[in-house]
Amino acid sequence: MQKRIVLDLDLCCGCRSCEAACRVAFKGEARIRHGDIAGVAYLPLACKHCKQPLCLASCPVEAITRDENTGLVLRSANICIGCKSCAYACPFGVIDAPLVRHISQKCSLCVDREEGPRCVAACSSGALQWLSDEEIERHEIGMRMVSKDLFFRRKA
Amino acid sequence: MKNIDPKAITVKKALCPFCSFGCEFGVVFNDFGITGVEYISKGSSGGRLCPRGSAAAMYLDHPRRLSTPMKKQKSLEWSKIVKELKKVVSNPKNVAVTFDRNITLEEYASIIGFCKNAGIDDISSTYFEPETNLRSFLPKAFSMTEVDDAQLVLLLGDPFNQAPMSSRAIIDWKLKDKKNELVVIDSINTHTAGFASRFMKVNVGTEPLLFFALAQEKIEGVDITKATGIESSVINDVSKAIKGVKKGLIFVCLPFAHTYDPRLYAEGLARLQSFSGMKVVPFVEFMGHKGNQNFASIIDKVKKKKIKYLLNFGELFPFYYPQMADDLRALNIYATATLKYDGYNALPVPLNLEKDGTIITTFGKKNLGGNIEPPSGTKSINEILSLLSDGRGKGEALRPPEKKVDVAERVRRLAEVSVTKKKNLRLVGEKVAYNFLGFFEGEALKMNPRDAAELGITVNDYASVTSKHGSVDLPVKLTEDVGKGIVAVPAETPSVKGLFEYLIDSGDNTINFIPTEVKICRKE
């Protein structure tokens, strides 16, 4: 995959702009969900497009496929029967169990949009970023979660 | 014959009118209609867009969009309703004209001019929300870059949820230097509070008292710690910090029905401003227009049967304040509207998103653009006014009588209210961008687990919330974010907004929504 969605936990303010952008673009599907670890962090749950996706393995009708060239794990709306197997199989809880129009809510990384995913574009605080592997290597992310001192990683 | 290309899209630029930030974005159309929004990276928010902005596409394409005038829930031709209205305004002493927050400056001038020409004296804004009191703090030209060299930022309320576009500059500033101090004042624990260097969790509605205390104002006979719940040592520390700061900013996001005395809130802010020298920047849902003082006199005249007709211009009133129905029952109401509602005569108008005109934002005046075509069948406010009166002119701004308030008396009254033991739970409102008009999800009631346990309410339960104005069933979310004795709900839909009590301020005749006592029981 050339680029991926990266979350900087230091920045997320829990406004759910990402989820709203997704729901508007995909007619009610919240393909990115929003979690809240009480008192610690807000956590947008974006699909990781795993190399060995369990959602794909669990799909009884092969509605979910992995594109070997792009690394995208995509669901076909025409084939999906809404059995929710993918939602229960996802180890990260990214796929929301309730169905929308009788199909599962599976992220496609906005393949229809050249500039990248809408959730990243909408993100009000800049917590969601669209980065390549090299950019991720250079980037310190999310130290607030593991630090007792809030905002530890940004040195004065 | 036109060939339809499902991939061909048009992007029309729009200015988001849903909060004072005024973000720019694109509305995406294809041959079948609106498909969504696009993020314009050169816009004022750098292309970012909060849930309200994203919801714009849903609002434009709403299934309940109104495109014909309605009377008693039946469609009516424009010519017939205009004829009726002409007859109504021919007797101007019987008529009051109101306007809600969704009008442009040009429309405002036209409405005032129309009233002047028609001889209608009873004119009022229906911008009843507490944030209307913040209008006097609107800076002429504010830029978020001013945050960069601040040493201390005071956040009042929950701007990261209410106006999320403010978050990036403030969080970046906070992370830049460990010396940068972010102080948050609120009565409930919010996402914004999670970022604070110091969070001052005040008792519900007592923020104004804390402002006076922080400004080192003497409040005789008031135990400030008992009233606000904040230790005096903490108040002194923060007071010293804000006094000594070279550059600081106070961002205000006054939530719905959070304080008993919004006028005192504004007075307290003014004292804090002059004490610290910090600039006050309001982030509010809409900027609205002056003059809600006059509405109290309209209610009075309605009760005395002196006014029989009400003409409202805007998008929401009277549909969004069902608790006012009792006071307005004797009236025959004609209201401009964008969505279908029951109970009033409705005139279809364009949304602000579809208008060309000027609105006031935190960053100065901005033009709406008018790039999006409104539905056929709608008429702009100026068109309606032209149909009613040939000699429409530009009127002077509405100047409601300025009444001075007795600050000392109000402080004592608020301190008494805050320490009086309440029999029932108190409901406060929140403004959360994600809950905007209930487009993405309905409201949920935030409740302290100890209160819930006493009432036999557990996780995933529904509760009936009853005030003197009505009752609503809501899903319950148990959280320590709200203190014992307090319940909070995003006040977005008319049914929930309708629960809140309103108060006509005896000092300046403004109408304000206040924390409301409610009875709560588990819904079987």
Side-chain angles (χ1 to χ4, degrees), chain A residues 10-17 19-21 23-24 27 42 113 121-126 144 149 151 154 156, chain B residues 35 38-39 47-51 54 58 160-161 164-165 167-168 171 174-175 177-178 191 194-195 434 440-441:
Chain A
D10 282 353
L11 302 179
C12 181
C13 69
C15 68
R16 297 171 78 182
S17 297
E19 195 178 323
R23 286 182 75 157
V24 169
K27 309 289 177 207
Y42 316 109
R113 190 174 181 270
C123 180
S124 66
S125 61
R144 184 181 161 204
D149 185 6
F151 313 119
R154 309 282 172 102
Chain B
T35 62
E38 189 48 71
Y39 307 87
R48 296 170 290 125
L49 211 53
C50 84
S54 293
M58 297 167 84
F160 293 179
N161 259 326
M165 285 307 134
S167 62
R168 187 167 198 167
I171 295 171
K174 174 71 185 75
L175 295 173
D177 192 335
K178 279 180 94 173
H191 289 182
F195 286 87
Y434 191 76
F440 294 117
E441 82 185 358

Side-chain angles (χ1 to χ4, degrees), chain B residues 52 54 89-90 113 148-149 167 173 213 218-219 225 250 266 274 283 289 318 322 360 382 403 452 468 501 515 518:
Chain B
R52 272 193 214 104
S54 293
V89 296
S90 66
D148 293 347
D149 54 346
S167 62
W173 164 82
K218 282 186 182 173
I219 312 170
T225 299
I250 304 173
S274 71
F283 289 138
H289 296 270
I360 305 167
N382 283 347
K403 288 187 183 174
K468 71 176 186 183
E501 201 174 318
V518 286

